[in-house]
Amino acid sequence: MQDNKVQIFDTTLRDGEQVPGCKLDTKQKLVIAERLDLLGVNVIEAGFPVSSPGDFNSVSEIAKIVKNATVCGLTRAVENDIKVASEALKFAKHPRIHTGIGTSDSHIQFKFKSSREAVIERAVKAVSYAKSFVEDVEFYAEDAGRTDNEYLARVCEEVIKAGATVLNIPDTTGYCLPEEYGAKMKYLRENVKGIDNVILSCHCHNDLGMATANSISGVINGARQIECTINGIGERAGNTALEEVVMVLKQHPYLNLETSINTKLLYDTSIMVRESMGMPVQPNKAIVGANAFAHSSGIHQDGVIKNRETYEIMDPEDVGVTESAIVLTARSGRAALAYRSKKIGYELTKLQLDVAYQEFLRTADQQKEVKDQDIHNIMKEVNKTSKVAIA
Ligand code: KIV
Ligand code: ZN
């Protein structure tokens, strides 16, 4: 499975929804699931059906309405979880069961009080059982980021034999460095029999701020699925942000890796998720933050007004933001003032701009940002000595 298509597996409604205070009801989940389908994600992880009757119902309703994407339900390596997930997914056009177990020594020793061999046995049993319900079975090796590669390779080989179609290699604790995570994928590609017949999947958490870098390193090294959430929401510091990995791949075409995402819907989808979850996005968040395409220093504004590409590496319209914002502050120069004045209807001569700029600086020193109404007031002052043309 070494083509150039990277599958986008969205887990906003499962890992994303695990954030305290972000609980959604079924109706809200259905709206988001429909939007994710429209956005072009390949897989929607709709929930963890055995966890509650509400989650079961959400997965089941989502399975009914999603038209294109695979709908996936999470389970532990527990028979009842798997059976319940298969029931919740029974109306899905393309159902997937996502089952798995912790594989790091810390999980084996402290969580399961078990042994490496016994964990392999449980993993194989879970995959075989899931396979009796659906063709598409994804296996996760929880805490794979801290799992010894040789043992991880053995686990992977055994679950492939049992019928797994996708192998998820989660950096559950967000600990890995990009080189390390990429090397793990490469090791698995080179040392696991049957690996070419399955998809390797990246599932990275952002505890050290490296979820996006790790996921990209994963696909450069042969993974072909990225698990991510809108706005990067998720437990603790969150998951890989969908909008970030998608735009990294789009803006670096020489990597020759593509997704099926309609990027023009990214901004609107981000707004939808932050509003329904009541989870604001930091202004400097890459791609979808309020300041992602805003310029406030004079040097940058002058460059962007002359040619956007001087300080922007992507077109805001490509992610559904209508235009770059020139924010007027005390650090702005004449070019920015002339630009914004023209946008709201004033054509200034050079002399008028000099006068306006002095007024502008007086206003800007008193407030954080100079708004359109302030510019109208500044023009009234300029008009007292010289009539400003209306653009
Ligand atoms: O982070 C993780 O390991 C997970 C698994 C349950 C897939 O979310
Ligand atoms: Zn996770």
Side-chain angles (χ1 to χ4, degrees):
M1 180 61 68
Q2 253 308 54
D3 67 18
N4 68 344
K5 296 273 184 302
V6 174
Q7 309 281 304
I8 295 296
F9 175 116
D10 182 278
T11 183
T12 305
L13 299 175
R14 199 279 296 170
D15 225 347
E17 211 233 1
Q18 286 176 208
V19 178
C22 281
K23 190 105 194 79
L24 299 173
D25 60 30
T26 299
K27 233 166 106 191
Q28 290 171 310
K29 286 188 185 177
L30 284 168
V31 173
I32 292 178
E34 261 185 326
R35 164 50 70 110
L36 293 171
D37 206 22
L38 194 68
L39 182 66
V41 309
N42 306 93
V43 185
I44 296 173
E45 186 162 56
F48 182 10
V50 84
S51 65
S52 72
D55 222 39
F56 179 94
N57 186 44
S58 297
V59 175
S60 173
E61 293 304 312
I62 289 170
K64 287 179 195 159
I65 60 141
V66 167
K67 293 192 177 75
N68 305 304
T70 292
V71 179
C72 174
L74 185 82
T75 81
R76 295 165 296 181
V78 170
E79 282 205 352
N80 187 51
D81 284 28
I82 295 168
K83 189 163 172 294
V84 170
S86 77
E87 281 159 16
L89 291 167
K90 78 173 169 220
F91 296 110
K93 278 206 181 87
H94 312 285
R96 176 182 293 179
I97 292 178
H98 188 190
T99 189
I101 190 164
T103 53
S104 65
D105 286 335
S106 129
H107 279 224
I108 294 173
Q109 197 184 333
F110 301 119
K111 239 174 86 171
F112 307 123
K113 301 192 187 346
S114 183
S115 68
R116 285 184 167 192
E117 295 313 311
V119 160
I120 292 186
E121 223 172 274
R122 271 187 72 182
V124 166
K125 254 177 98 181
V127 170
S128 308
Y129 189 57
K131 205 71 185 176
S132 71
F133 297 105
V134 293
E135 173 46 37
D136 193 3
V137 175
E138 175 167 339
F139 174 79
Y140 64 85
E142 196 181 5
D143 206 15
R146 294 187 300 169
T147 300
D148 151 59
N149 283 349
E150 244 176 75
Y151 173 65
L152 186 60
R154 277 186 55 218
V155 177
C156 290
E157 206 162 296
E158 293 307 319
V159 296
I160 291 175
K161 280 194 230 152
T165 46
V166 182
L167 295 185
N168 178 9
I169 310 300
D171 182 23
T172 306
T173 55
Y175 181 71
C176 285
L177 292 170
E179 286 75 11
E180 193 183 357
Y181 192 71
K184 198 172 274 289
M185 290 298 183
K186 188 161 183 279
Y187 181 89
L188 295 175
R189 282 193 52 74
E190 289 171 354
N191 291 283
V192 174
K193 253 193 242 122
I195 199 85
D196 288 337
N197 304 320
V198 302
I199 295 177
L200 268 174
S201 182
C202 309
H203 180 115
C204 298
H205 280 264
N206 206 31
D207 300 65
L208 291 172
M210 287 191 290
T212 295
N214 284 345
S215 300
I216 297 298
S217 178
V219 292
I220 288 173
N221 284 284
R224 284 296 176 269
Q225 179 175 279
I226 296 179
E227 310 199 357
C228 45
T229 61
I230 301 294
N231 301 332
I233 59 163
E235 293 241 79
R236 308 183 309 279
N239 288 61
T240 303
L242 180 149
E243 60 279 4
E244 293 178 14
V245 286
V246 166
M247 291 312 290
V248 170
L249 297 182
K250 185 173 164 68
Q251 297 310 109
H252 290 273
Y254 66 89
L255 291 176
N256 195 26
L257 293 168
E258 289 172 3
T259 73
S260 55
I261 297 299
N262 177 356
T263 62
K264 289 191 190 305
L265 296 179
L266 285 172
Y267 187 61
D268 260 12
T269 309
S270 162
I271 303 274
M272 174 190 272
V273 168
R274 64 184 93 162
E275 284 177 356
S276 57
M277 286 195 162
M279 181 83 171
V281 162
Q282 73 204 56
N284 59 327
K285 165 82 182 62
I287 321 291
V288 293
N291 293 345
F293 297 97
H295 305 273
S296 67
S297 90
I299 297 171
H300 290 205
Q301 289 178 336
D302 183 51
V304 170
I305 290 165
K306 286 175 177 147
N307 185 328
R308 193 188 57 72
E309 288 179 17
T310 52
Y311 287 96
E312 279 180 0
I313 51 96
M314 65 194 129
D315 187 338
E317 287 188 13
D318 277 354
V319 302
V321 173
T322 42
E323 58 178 354
S324 322
I326 298 292
V327 181
L328 294 180
T329 69
R331 246 79 52 216
S332 301
R334 284 174 171 72
L337 177 61
Y339 173 84
R340 273 283 293 280
S341 301
K342 191 164 180 184
K343 283 226 153 207
I344 61 168
Y346 301 105
E347 189 82 64
L348 296 161
T349 65
K350 189 171 174 316
L351 218 65
Q352 287 167 338
L353 180 58
D354 283 342
V355 178
Y357 191 62
Q358 295 315 312
E359 274 305 315
F360 165 78
L361 287 180
R362 267 192 285 280
T363 312
D365 270 342
Q366 286 159 24
Q367 53 200 56
K368 284 193 181 117
E369 195 186 325
V370 176
K371 304 276 195 184
D372 288 352
Q373 187 50 52
D374 301 311
I375 298 179
H376 291 305
N377 294 339
I378 290 168
M379 293 309 149
K380 277 186 205 147
E381 285 304 308
V382 179
N383 266 331
K384 285 181 186 162
T385 49
S386 156
K387 192 93 189 119
V388 176
I390 302 301

